[in-house]
Amino acid sequence: MDEGLVPVDIYGYCDGSGHITSTLKFPKDVKTFDMFTDIRFPDFTSEYDPVLDLVRNFGWTVEKLILPYWFNDEHAGILLDVVRDRGSRITRLTIDPYTLTTTGMNVLDEIVEMSPSVVSIGMWYFGLEVKAYRGKVESLLTQYKAQLHHVVLHGDKMGDWSSQIAGVIPTRDALPKMDELTFDIGNGEVSKECIAWIVAMISTPPQPRSKTTLPEPLTGLKRITLGRIVLSYEDWESVIRAIDLTEVEWLDLQTTNFGQAQLRLLVNQITDNVASQIRVRTLCINEKLLEQEEARTLCTTLREKAPLVNFN
């Protein structure tokens, strides 16, 4: 194999809407290569389900596994058979459990138990406004909250579901390994109780923390996303003050009402004694905000305080 070859992308189309993408990467300094595969299937309208064959034949090779909402009990059962027969190489697992029944979730538990190399588990909870779905979410959060690295909480009418989910994960301490958190509210405005919970989830608990309340060190939040949410100025003050800018590297606020006044709050949050410790690399805000002269001035000031920050 020649040195210095550039990455090659190979595309194979299923039926025009789904696709398989494999990328071969050849580092210049070695004669080996890495291969990464991204498989995206369309919604199925026929009796033939190509995912079954994929899991059956290649499930044992998977290291990073993202289970979309249509991953069902049958898929999980076949993957479990493969894992029992050939072992598991899974290191990163992300789950959207919407289609799984209790039986499927039990199978998933067994797969995780038989995957000793798992270092990261994520949960995507879309559709929390559906009351019948929330019991499943409660069960999975209770089961995996000590292991979760990435959590997405998505649902309209946050007031209808926040208290039920907050009963399982009331504060950051409940998710000691979490480093990515997304709140996507869907319908904008939220109550004071919901704001208090969001603040509790993004806040770093005060030091020192006793061993009786936290059995292991708390992982700092690296990525925070607030989606489709409308906050008052006072609520933004609470949220911005709760964000630990010496830990967060990605802050996405672009689909909220985060504006010039909130940007000023964020800039003022960075005092001289912490400026050198700021880790923010990416700040996602509404592009229309950057059309305002004063906002651009604030962005310049922010970059002076945090030179590594980029605006998306």
Side-chain angles (χ1 to χ4, degrees), residues 6-12 20-26 34-38:
V6 297
V8 177
D9 290 338
I10 303 171
Y11 297 90
I20 300 174
T21 305
S22 292
T23 302
L24 301 180
K25 293 189 176 181
F26 302 90
D34 290 325
M35 181 173 180
F36 307 89
T37 302
D38 175 18

Side-chain angles (χ1 to χ4, degrees), residues 2-299:
D2 294 334
E3 295 183 3
L5 295 177
V6 297
V8 177
D9 290 338
I10 303 171
Y11 297 90
Y13 287 89
C14 298
D15 67 353
S17 56
H19 69 268
I20 300 174
T21 305
S22 292
T23 302
L24 301 180
K25 293 189 176 181
F26 302 90
K28 293 183 178 181
D29 55 343
V30 294
K31 294 186 177 181
T32 60
F33 67 90
D34 290 325
M35 181 173 180
F36 307 89
T37 302
D38 175 18
I39 301 173
R40 301 179 185 278
F41 289 102
D43 292 332
F44 306 119
T45 55
S46 65
E47 294 182 0
Y48 174 64
D49 182 348
V51 179
L52 296 178
D53 285 339
L54 174 72
V55 173
R56 185 179 292 111
N57 293 312
F58 300 104
W60 66 276
T61 69
V62 174
E63 293 183 349
K64 181 179 180 182
L65 181 60
I66 300 177
L67 305 180
Y69 74 94
W70 44 257
F71 190 89
N72 58 34
D73 290 4
E74 187 176 11
H75 299 139
I78 291 175
L79 181 58
L80 177 59
D81 290 340
V82 172
V83 169
R84 284 172 173 169
D85 183 47
R86 305 193 64 172
S88 171
R89 297 171 57 186
I90 299 171
T91 60
R92 297 182 179 276
L93 176 64
T94 302
I95 307 160
D96 181 342
Y98 197 84
T99 307
L100 292 174
T101 67
T102 300
T103 299
M105 291 193 296
N106 290 337
V107 170
L108 189 63
D109 291 342
E110 193 169 348
I111 292 171
V112 173
E113 290 175 1
M114 297 177 68
S115 303
S117 298
V118 170
V119 296
S120 176
I121 297 179
M123 293 283 182
W124 295 345
Y125 300 116
F126 293 92
L128 288 171
E129 69 274 8
V130 180
K131 185 176 182 180
Y133 176 51
R134 294 199 288 270
K136 184 191 305 185
V137 173
E138 279 188 290
S139 176
L140 283 170
L141 281 174
T142 302
Q143 174 80 8
Y144 291 109
K145 62 183 179 180
Q147 301 168 267
L148 288 176
H149 287 250
H150 180 201
V151 177
V152 174
L153 299 172
H154 177 288
D156 293 340
K157 300 179 180 178
M158 186 181 183
D160 290 349
W161 54 264
S162 60
S163 60
Q164 187 172 353
I165 306 305
V168 183
I169 49 171
T171 64
R172 280 280 289 113
D173 284 350
L175 300 166
K177 292 186 177 180
M178 182 175 65
D179 55 17
E180 296 186 34
L181 175 63
T182 295
F183 278 101
D184 193 326
I185 309 308
N187 64 343
E189 296 182 3
V190 294
S191 67
K192 293 296 183 182
E193 292 78 12
C194 293
I195 295 299
W197 180 43
I198 291 174
V199 168
M201 289 298 295
I202 65 177
S203 299
T204 300
Q207 299 286 345
R209 298 186 296 272
S210 69
K211 293 182 179 180
T212 59
T213 58
L214 190 65
E216 59 182 297
L218 192 70
T219 300
L221 274 175
K222 306 300 182 187
R223 297 172 68 105
I224 296 176
T225 298
L226 298 180
R228 297 184 294 173
I229 185 171
V230 177
L231 304 182
S232 68
Y233 181 85
E234 292 75 17
D235 290 337
W236 272 118
E237 280 188 302
S238 299
V239 168
I240 291 172
R241 287 172 181 168
I243 298 171
D244 187 349
L245 297 174
T246 66
E247 291 286 352
V248 172
E249 298 176 359
W250 175 287
L251 184 56
D252 188 346
L253 308 170
Q254 63 182 325
T255 61
T256 71
N257 67 327
F258 183 91
Q260 185 171 287
Q262 290 72 36
L263 181 58
R264 186 179 297 105
L265 285 173
L266 185 64
V267 171
N268 292 338
Q269 184 77 0
I270 304 175
T271 56
D272 292 340
N273 62 323
V274 300
S276 62
Q277 304 172 43
I278 300 302
R279 294 188 180 183
V280 180
R281 301 293 191 277
T282 302
L283 175 61
C284 301
I285 55 180
N286 192 306
E287 60 182 11
K288 292 184 178 180
L289 181 59
L290 298 177
E291 297 174 0
Q292 302 174 24
E293 183 176 353
E294 186 173 347
R296 291 196 299 270
T297 301
L298 288 169
C299 288

Side-chain angles (χ1 to χ4, degrees), residues 292-312:
Q292 302 174 24
E293 183 176 353
E294 186 173 347
R296 291 196 299 270
T297 301
L298 288 169
C299 288
T300 300
T301 304
L302 178 58
R303 187 170 279 122
E304 290 172 353
K305 292 185 173 185
L308 297 177
V309 69
N310 289 302
F311 298 95
N312 282 359

